[in-house]
Amino acid sequence: MKINQGGERIVWTFHDVTLNRVPGYGFGIAVSGGRDNPHFTNGDPAIAISDVLKAGPAEGKLL
């Protein structure tokens, strides 16, 4: 748990998901952020799944 600057509690929930790479789709996800592309306003290097391809290996597996 983390407390942000506004005093709000932030609770993270973790999920383990296994994806198998499929030719033509890869893992079927797009990832944004990271150390090479931190959030533009606060510099946070966290990554996020920004898109899930329809009919790809990740469809229906990510919340």
Side-chain angles (χ1 to χ4, degrees), residues 25-45:
Y25 279 102
F27 292 105
I29 60 174
V31 178
S32 298
R35 288 186 208 155
D36 295 339
N37 189 26
H39 191 272
F40 64 94
T41 57
N42 64 9
D44 185 355

Side-chain angles (χ1 to χ4, degrees), residues 17 19 28-29 49 51-52 58-63:
V17 176
L19 297 175
I29 60 174
I49 305 299
D51 196 19
V52 178
E59 184 179 40
K61 293 186 178 183
L62 304 176
L63 302 174

Side-chain angles (χ1 to χ4, degrees), residues 1-16:
M1 180 173 52
K2 179 180 176 182
I3 307 293
N4 70 7
Q5 291 178 344
E8 298 172 315
R9 293 186 317 160
I10 299 172
V11 179
W12 294 92
T13 302
F14 294 89
H15 301 274
D16 290 323

